[in-house]
Amino acid sequence: MNLLYIRPVLILLVLVKAAHGQVTEDKFGAIVRGDTSKKELALVFTGDEFADGGKVIRRTLNKNSVRASFFFTGRFYANREFGSLIKGLRKDGHYLGAHSDDHLLYCDWTKRDSLLVTEEQFRADLRRNYQKMAGFGIQKNDAEYFLPPYEWYNLMISKWTGEEDLKLVNFTHGTRSTADYTYPEMGKSYRSSEEIYRSIFEYEAKDKNGLNGFILLIHIGTDPRRTDKLYNRLDAMIRQLKGMGYRFKTIDELLN
């Protein structure tokens, strides 16, 4: 989950050559968008302590013949209540990846170059995440893309990730999809599902590349205090995007 506020982010983006076409990296070394020349995007779901949307999301993806990508913490993989969901997602052919073991905050919110973890802590935590994934038959070679906790990192985290033979990825900025974790008690930070849904298609209309290559992040579960769940609008979102000609890819398909 994200921290309980929404932070403004200004990130420098650069295009880098991929095996097929181009991908976009931010200045901290994470891939944040796929090839903008193709009408393709990836639905990405993260999870740590909540999984209330799991059944709805899985059913909706199957109904629409869409494969998505799921990045879970080690705590999520170790939660026995989530075991059948994880096995079902794997059986359905979705991409399952790592989101750190204990959902650590790697660096300071205001001084991003200030690390809050040591290299040893980072590596040990990440490896524990993959050890728990192995219990579901997910090997490191099957999940080379790593989405950092809180979607917050710096150049050193990117460097260490690469040294673990993994690729750092993050969501594409521009919509409010990641705010689906907010709830009314958070005051001005709260974003309704209608506002979030609308922001996605407003961005699609104004960006010259639409949602081409987009990595759209949603949470698989949220705090019970949020009753207006964005995942309940997933079916309508997928159908609308398909009607606009978009194709859905897993993260490895989108970026490789």
Side-chain angles (χ1 to χ4, degrees), residues 32-36 38 40-44 170-175 177 200 203-204 207 209-217 246 249 251 254:
V32 294
R33 193 164 185 170
D35 192 340
T36 56
K38 297 180 180 179
E40 300 174 346
L41 74 156
L43 282 176
V44 167
N170 198 14
F171 65 90
T172 308
H173 289 271
T175 79
S177 72
I200 294 169
Y203 184 92
E204 196 283 336
D207 188 281
N209 296 310
L211 295 176
N212 291 3
F214 221 78
I215 301 171
L216 187 66
L217 189 148
Y246 286 97
K249 302 289 183 178
I251 196 75
L254 184 77

mmCIF file of all heavy atoms in Angstrom, residues 32-36 38 40-44 170-175 177 200 203-204 207 209-217 246 249 251 254:
data_model
loop_
_atom_site.group_PDB
_atom_site.id
_atom_site.type_symbol
_atom_site.label_atom_id
_atom_site.label_comp_id
_atom_site.label_asym_id
_atom_site.label_seq_id
_atom_site.Cartn_x
_atom_site.Cartn_y
_atom_site.Cartn_z
ATOM 1 N N VAL A 32 9.220 2.963 -16.829
ATOM 2 C CA VAL A 32 7.899 3.470 -16.441
ATOM 3 C C VAL A 32 6.899 3.490 -17.599
ATOM 4 O O VAL A 32 5.742 3.867 -17.395
ATOM 5 C CB VAL A 32 8.006 4.883 -15.829
ATOM 6 C CG1 VAL A 32 8.773 4.840 -14.513
ATOM 7 C CG2 VAL A 32 8.666 5.860 -16.800
ATOM 8 N N ARG A 33 7.327 3.085 -18.779
ATOM 9 C CA ARG A 33 6.382 3.018 -19.890
ATOM 10 C C ARG A 33 6.961 2.176 -21.015
ATOM 11 O O ARG A 33 8.167 2.171 -21.249
ATOM 12 C CB ARG A 33 6.049 4.426 -20.412
ATOM 13 C CG ARG A 33 4.850 4.479 -21.358
ATOM 14 C CD ARG A 33 4.337 5.900 -21.538
ATOM 15 N NE ARG A 33 3.122 5.933 -22.346
ATOM 16 C CZ ARG A 33 2.354 7.010 -22.494
ATOM 17 N NH1 ARG A 33 2.669 8.143 -21.900
ATOM 18 N NH2 ARG A 33 1.246 6.948 -23.243
ATOM 19 N N GLY A 34 6.092 1.461 -21.697
ATOM 20 C CA GLY A 34 6.503 0.659 -22.831
ATOM 21 C C GLY A 34 6.503 1.464 -24.112
ATOM 22 O O GLY A 34 6.474 2.696 -24.098
ATOM 23 N N ASP A 35 6.516 0.773 -25.228
ATOM 24 C CA ASP A 35 6.585 1.380 -26.554
ATOM 25 C C ASP A 35 5.332 2.216 -26.829
ATOM 26 O O ASP A 35 4.226 1.688 -26.890
ATOM 27 C CB ASP A 35 6.728 0.275 -27.597
ATOM 28 C CG ASP A 35 7.097 0.799 -28.976
ATOM 29 O OD1 ASP A 35 6.873 1.993 -29.235
ATOM 30 O OD2 ASP A 35 7.592 0.000 -29.781
ATOM 31 N N THR A 36 5.520 3.521 -26.988
ATOM 32 C CA THR A 36 4.374 4.415 -27.197
ATOM 33 C C THR A 36 3.858 4.388 -28.630
ATOM 34 O O THR A 36 2.870 5.056 -28.944
ATOM 35 C CB THR A 36 4.741 5.864 -26.829
ATOM 36 O OG1 THR A 36 5.889 6.272 -27.587
ATOM 37 C CG2 THR A 36 5.045 5.991 -25.343
ATOM 38 N N LYS A 38 2.789 1.605 -29.967
ATOM 39 C CA LYS A 38 1.860 0.477 -30.020
ATOM 40 C C LYS A 38 0.692 0.700 -29.069
ATOM 41 O O LYS A 38 0.870 1.168 -27.947
ATOM 42 C CB LYS A 38 2.586 -0.820 -29.642
ATOM 43 C CG LYS A 38 3.698 -1.198 -30.608
ATOM 44 C CD LYS A 38 4.364 -2.493 -30.174
ATOM 45 C CE LYS A 38 5.478 -2.889 -31.139
ATOM 46 N NZ LYS A 38 6.141 -4.150 -30.706
ATOM 47 N N GLU A 40 -0.879 -0.722 -26.846
ATOM 48 C CA GLU A 40 -0.817 -1.786 -25.849
ATOM 49 C C GLU A 40 -0.573 -1.171 -24.470
ATOM 50 O O GLU A 40 0.111 -0.155 -24.351
ATOM 51 C CB GLU A 40 0.315 -2.763 -26.165
ATOM 52 C CG GLU A 40 0.183 -3.457 -27.504
ATOM 53 C CD GLU A 40 1.378 -4.314 -27.854
ATOM 54 O OE1 GLU A 40 2.432 -4.159 -27.190
ATOM 55 O OE2 GLU A 40 1.276 -5.132 -28.787
ATOM 56 N N LEU A 41 -1.114 -1.818 -23.442
ATOM 57 C CA LEU A 41 -0.855 -1.379 -22.076
ATOM 58 C C LEU A 41 -0.885 -2.567 -21.138
ATOM 59 O O LEU A 41 -1.373 -3.643 -21.498
ATOM 60 C CB LEU A 41 -1.867 -0.322 -21.624
ATOM 61 C CG LEU A 41 -3.297 -0.763 -21.300
ATOM 62 C CD1 LEU A 41 -3.954 0.227 -20.349
ATOM 63 C CD2 LEU A 41 -4.120 -0.856 -22.579
ATOM 64 N N ALA A 42 -0.351 -2.360 -19.934
ATOM 65 C CA ALA A 42 -0.319 -3.415 -18.934
ATOM 66 C C ALA A 42 -1.115 -3.003 -17.707
ATOM 67 O O ALA A 42 -0.927 -1.901 -17.185
ATOM 68 C CB ALA A 42 1.120 -3.730 -18.531
ATOM 69 N N LEU A 43 -2.016 -3.883 -17.273
ATOM 70 C CA LEU A 43 -2.697 -3.701 -16.003
ATOM 71 C C LEU A 43 -1.832 -4.326 -14.923
ATOM 72 O O LEU A 43 -1.452 -5.506 -15.017
ATOM 73 C CB LEU A 43 -4.061 -4.390 -16.016
ATOM 74 C CG LEU A 43 -5.210 -3.691 -16.746
ATOM 75 C CD1 LEU A 43 -6.447 -4.582 -16.717
ATOM 76 C CD2 LEU A 43 -5.511 -2.342 -16.111
ATOM 77 N N VAL A 44 -1.488 -3.540 -13.902
ATOM 78 C CA VAL A 44 -0.621 -4.005 -12.831
ATOM 79 C C VAL A 44 -1.351 -3.853 -11.501
ATOM 80 O O VAL A 44 -1.914 -2.793 -11.207
ATOM 81 C CB VAL A 44 0.691 -3.201 -12.813
ATOM 82 C CG1 VAL A 44 1.463 -3.446 -11.526
ATOM 83 C CG2 VAL A 44 1.548 -3.554 -14.019
ATOM 84 N N ASN A 170 8.085 0.740 -12.629
ATOM 85 C CA ASN A 170 7.131 1.530 -11.864
ATOM 86 C C ASN A 170 5.961 1.861 -12.771
ATOM 87 O O ASN A 170 6.027 1.668 -13.992
ATOM 88 C CB ASN A 170 7.787 2.805 -11.337
ATOM 89 C CG ASN A 170 7.000 3.444 -10.207
ATOM 90 O OD1 ASN A 170 6.110 2.831 -9.625
ATOM 91 N ND2 ASN A 170 7.293 4.704 -9.895
ATOM 92 N N PHE A 171 4.889 2.395 -12.176
ATOM 93 C CA PHE A 171 3.714 2.745 -12.966
ATOM 94 C C PHE A 171 3.978 3.990 -13.804
ATOM 95 O O PHE A 171 4.888 4.774 -13.527
ATOM 96 C CB PHE A 171 2.494 2.956 -12.067
ATOM 97 C CG PHE A 171 2.606 4.133 -11.130
ATOM 98 C CD1 PHE A 171 2.164 5.390 -11.516
ATOM 99 C CD2 PHE A 171 3.136 3.973 -9.860
ATOM 100 C CE1 PHE A 171 2.255 6.477 -10.656
ATOM 101 C CE2 PHE A 171 3.227 5.054 -8.982
ATOM 102 C CZ PHE A 171 2.788 6.310 -9.386
ATOM 103 N N THR A 172 3.181 4.184 -14.835
ATOM 104 C CA THR A 172 3.257 5.374 -15.676
ATOM 105 C C THR A 172 2.475 6.494 -15.002
ATOM 106 O O THR A 172 1.304 6.324 -14.660
ATOM 107 C CB THR A 172 2.665 5.098 -17.067
ATOM 108 O OG1 THR A 172 3.270 3.916 -17.619
ATOM 109 C CG2 THR A 172 2.915 6.277 -18.006
ATOM 110 N N HIS A 173 3.122 7.632 -14.806
ATOM 111 C CA HIS A 173 2.452 8.763 -14.162
ATOM 112 C C HIS A 173 1.502 9.467 -15.130
ATOM 113 O O HIS A 173 1.669 9.411 -16.344
ATOM 114 C CB HIS A 173 3.502 9.756 -13.652
ATOM 115 C CG HIS A 173 4.269 9.244 -12.476
ATOM 116 N ND1 HIS A 173 3.867 9.423 -11.180
ATOM 117 C CD2 HIS A 173 5.421 8.527 -12.412
ATOM 118 C CE1 HIS A 173 4.732 8.853 -10.364
ATOM 119 N NE2 HIS A 173 5.681 8.299 -11.084
ATOM 120 N N GLY A 174 0.504 10.113 -14.553
ATOM 121 C CA GLY A 174 -0.416 10.896 -15.372
ATOM 122 C C GLY A 174 -1.873 10.716 -15.001
ATOM 123 O O GLY A 174 -2.690 11.604 -15.236
ATOM 124 N N THR A 175 -2.207 9.563 -14.419
ATOM 125 C CA THR A 175 -3.588 9.333 -13.976
ATOM 126 C C THR A 175 -3.603 9.246 -12.450
ATOM 127 O O THR A 175 -2.560 9.255 -11.806
ATOM 128 C CB THR A 175 -4.168 8.038 -14.560
ATOM 129 O OG1 THR A 175 -3.672 6.911 -13.817
ATOM 130 C CG2 THR A 175 -3.808 7.890 -16.030
ATOM 131 N N SER A 177 -4.873 6.571 -10.872
ATOM 132 C CA SER A 177 -5.234 5.186 -10.570
ATOM 133 C C SER A 177 -4.640 4.689 -9.245
ATOM 134 O O SER A 177 -5.279 3.908 -8.532
ATOM 135 C CB SER A 177 -4.802 4.262 -11.711
ATOM 136 O OG SER A 177 -3.393 4.106 -11.753
ATOM 137 N N ILE A 200 -8.267 8.569 -15.957
ATOM 138 C CA ILE A 200 -7.613 7.656 -16.899
ATOM 139 C C ILE A 200 -7.978 8.006 -18.337
ATOM 140 O O ILE A 200 -7.105 8.097 -19.214
ATOM 141 C CB ILE A 200 -8.007 6.201 -16.577
ATOM 142 C CG1 ILE A 200 -7.447 5.792 -15.203
ATOM 143 C CG2 ILE A 200 -7.510 5.248 -17.673
ATOM 144 C CD1 ILE A 200 -7.996 4.484 -14.679
ATOM 145 N N TYR A 203 -6.656 11.478 -19.436
ATOM 146 C CA TYR A 203 -5.253 11.402 -19.845
ATOM 147 C C TYR A 203 -5.137 10.796 -21.236
ATOM 148 O O TYR A 203 -4.369 11.275 -22.077
ATOM 149 C CB TYR A 203 -4.440 10.570 -18.855
ATOM 150 C CG TYR A 203 -2.965 10.528 -19.180
ATOM 151 C CD1 TYR A 203 -2.093 11.454 -18.640
ATOM 152 C CD2 TYR A 203 -2.454 9.572 -20.053
ATOM 153 C CE1 TYR A 203 -0.736 11.432 -18.960
ATOM 154 C CE2 TYR A 203 -1.114 9.539 -20.380
ATOM 155 C CZ TYR A 203 -0.256 10.472 -19.834
ATOM 156 O OH TYR A 203 1.081 10.448 -20.163
ATOM 157 N N GLU A 204 -5.913 9.748 -21.474
ATOM 158 C CA GLU A 204 -5.881 9.092 -22.786
ATOM 159 C C GLU A 204 -6.220 10.078 -23.890
ATOM 160 O O GLU A 204 -5.618 10.055 -24.974
ATOM 161 C CB GLU A 204 -6.878 7.928 -22.794
ATOM 162 C CG GLU A 204 -6.696 6.923 -23.925
ATOM 163 C CD GLU A 204 -7.217 7.377 -25.270
ATOM 164 O OE1 GLU A 204 -8.112 8.251 -25.284
ATOM 165 O OE2 GLU A 204 -6.738 6.876 -26.310
ATOM 166 N N ASP A 207 -3.075 13.060 -24.028
ATOM 167 C CA ASP A 207 -1.695 12.688 -24.346
ATOM 168 C C ASP A 207 -1.603 12.300 -25.821
ATOM 169 O O ASP A 207 -2.454 11.562 -26.322
ATOM 170 C CB ASP A 207 -1.235 11.525 -23.471
ATOM 171 C CG ASP A 207 0.253 11.232 -23.614
ATOM 172 O OD1 ASP A 207 0.630 10.588 -24.619
ATOM 173 O OD2 ASP A 207 1.027 11.644 -22.741
ATOM 174 N N ASN A 209 0.141 10.250 -27.238
ATOM 175 C CA ASN A 209 0.276 8.806 -27.403
ATOM 176 C C ASN A 209 -0.827 8.029 -26.700
ATOM 177 O O ASN A 209 -0.759 6.798 -26.612
ATOM 178 C CB ASN A 209 1.634 8.345 -26.870
ATOM 179 C CG ASN A 209 2.786 8.932 -27.653
ATOM 180 O OD1 ASN A 209 2.818 8.884 -28.880
ATOM 181 N ND2 ASN A 209 3.747 9.516 -26.954
ATOM 182 N N GLY A 210 -1.832 8.758 -26.214
ATOM 183 C CA GLY A 210 -2.906 8.087 -25.501
ATOM 184 C C GLY A 210 -2.374 7.306 -24.315
ATOM 185 O O GLY A 210 -1.587 7.809 -23.522
ATOM 186 N N LEU A 211 -2.790 6.048 -24.205
ATOM 187 C CA LEU A 211 -2.285 5.158 -23.155
ATOM 188 C C LEU A 211 -1.335 4.117 -23.733
ATOM 189 O O LEU A 211 -1.077 3.082 -23.111
ATOM 190 C CB LEU A 211 -3.454 4.465 -22.453
ATOM 191 C CG LEU A 211 -4.416 5.370 -21.667
ATOM 192 C CD1 LEU A 211 -5.572 4.554 -21.101
ATOM 193 C CD2 LEU A 211 -3.693 6.108 -20.539
ATOM 194 N N ASN A 212 -0.786 4.390 -24.896
ATOM 195 C CA ASN A 212 0.146 3.453 -25.522
ATOM 196 C C ASN A 212 1.341 3.197 -24.602
ATOM 197 O O ASN A 212 1.985 4.132 -24.117
ATOM 198 C CB ASN A 212 0.659 4.006 -26.848
ATOM 199 C CG ASN A 212 -0.416 4.068 -27.919
ATOM 200 O OD1 ASN A 212 -1.572 3.755 -27.666
ATOM 201 N ND2 ASN A 212 -0.029 4.474 -29.120
ATOM 202 N N GLY A 213 1.631 1.923 -24.365
ATOM 203 C CA GLY A 213 2.763 1.553 -23.524
ATOM 204 C C GLY A 213 2.547 1.788 -22.045
ATOM 205 O O GLY A 213 3.478 1.636 -21.241
ATOM 206 N N PHE A 214 1.347 2.126 -21.644
ATOM 207 C CA PHE A 214 1.054 2.525 -20.272
ATOM 208 C C PHE A 214 1.140 1.356 -19.301
ATOM 209 O O PHE A 214 0.744 0.233 -19.609
ATOM 210 C CB PHE A 214 -0.355 3.114 -20.197
ATOM 211 C CG PHE A 214 -0.478 4.318 -19.315
ATOM 212 C CD1 PHE A 214 -0.062 5.568 -19.753
ATOM 213 C CD2 PHE A 214 -1.007 4.216 -18.042
ATOM 214 C CE1 PHE A 214 -0.183 6.690 -18.939
ATOM 215 C CE2 PHE A 214 -1.142 5.320 -17.216
ATOM 216 C CZ PHE A 214 -0.721 6.560 -17.664
ATOM 217 N N ILE A 215 1.667 1.638 -18.116
ATOM 218 C CA ILE A 215 1.663 0.694 -17.001
ATOM 219 C C ILE A 215 0.677 1.264 -15.989
ATOM 220 O O ILE A 215 0.977 2.227 -15.290
ATOM 221 C CB ILE A 215 3.059 0.529 -16.390
ATOM 222 C CG1 ILE A 215 4.056 0.027 -17.452
ATOM 223 C CG2 ILE A 215 3.016 -0.435 -15.205
ATOM 224 C CD1 ILE A 215 5.514 0.030 -16.994
ATOM 225 N N LEU A 216 -0.522 0.700 -15.939
ATOM 226 C CA LEU A 216 -1.613 1.237 -15.135
ATOM 227 C C LEU A 216 -1.719 0.443 -13.829
ATOM 228 O O LEU A 216 -2.058 -0.740 -13.842
ATOM 229 C CB LEU A 216 -2.923 1.161 -15.911
ATOM 230 C CG LEU A 216 -4.136 1.840 -15.281
ATOM 231 C CD1 LEU A 216 -3.943 3.348 -15.224
ATOM 232 C CD2 LEU A 216 -5.398 1.510 -16.081
ATOM 233 N N LEU A 217 -1.426 1.089 -12.718
ATOM 234 C CA LEU A 217 -1.366 0.409 -11.427
ATOM 235 C C LEU A 217 -2.639 0.610 -10.612
ATOM 236 O O LEU A 217 -3.134 1.726 -10.465
ATOM 237 C CB LEU A 217 -0.154 0.902 -10.632
ATOM 238 C CG LEU A 217 0.175 0.148 -9.343
ATOM 239 C CD1 LEU A 217 1.679 0.160 -9.086
ATOM 240 C CD2 LEU A 217 -0.560 0.706 -8.129
ATOM 241 N N TYR A 246 -7.334 -0.814 -27.661
ATOM 242 C CA TYR A 246 -6.177 -1.182 -26.847
ATOM 243 C C TYR A 246 -6.110 -2.682 -26.614
ATOM 244 O O TYR A 246 -7.129 -3.351 -26.453
ATOM 245 C CB TYR A 246 -6.212 -0.452 -25.498
ATOM 246 C CG TYR A 246 -5.852 1.011 -25.607
ATOM 247 C CD1 TYR A 246 -6.854 1.984 -25.685
ATOM 248 C CD2 TYR A 246 -4.526 1.421 -25.674
ATOM 249 C CE1 TYR A 246 -6.539 3.329 -25.808
ATOM 250 C CE2 TYR A 246 -4.205 2.766 -25.798
ATOM 251 C CZ TYR A 246 -5.202 3.720 -25.868
ATOM 252 O OH TYR A 246 -4.881 5.044 -26.004
ATOM 253 N N LYS A 249 -1.400 -6.464 -22.192
ATOM 254 C CA LYS A 249 -0.230 -7.322 -22.133
ATOM 255 C C LYS A 249 0.245 -7.468 -20.690
ATOM 256 O O LYS A 249 0.018 -6.583 -19.869
ATOM 257 C CB LYS A 249 0.919 -6.725 -22.968
ATOM 258 C CG LYS A 249 0.586 -6.501 -24.436
ATOM 259 C CD LYS A 249 0.465 -7.812 -25.185
ATOM 260 C CE LYS A 249 0.201 -7.606 -26.667
ATOM 261 N NZ LYS A 249 0.122 -8.889 -27.411
ATOM 262 N N ILE A 251 3.393 -7.486 -18.024
ATOM 263 C CA ILE A 251 4.502 -6.541 -17.963
ATOM 264 C C ILE A 251 5.698 -7.013 -18.793
ATOM 265 O O ILE A 251 6.350 -6.204 -19.466
ATOM 266 C CB ILE A 251 4.917 -6.276 -16.500
ATOM 267 C CG1 ILE A 251 5.783 -5.008 -16.406
ATOM 268 C CG2 ILE A 251 5.585 -7.479 -15.877
ATOM 269 C CD1 ILE A 251 5.029 -3.717 -16.537
ATOM 270 N N LEU A 254 4.844 -6.495 -22.473
ATOM 271 C CA LEU A 254 4.831 -5.094 -22.840
ATOM 272 C C LEU A 254 6.232 -4.522 -23.007
ATOM 273 O O LEU A 254 6.495 -3.733 -23.922
ATOM 274 C CB LEU A 254 4.085 -4.275 -21.776
ATOM 275 C CG LEU A 254 3.907 -2.790 -22.069
ATOM 276 C CD1 LEU A 254 2.787 -2.586 -23.099
ATOM 277 C CD2 LEU A 254 3.591 -2.005 -20.796
#
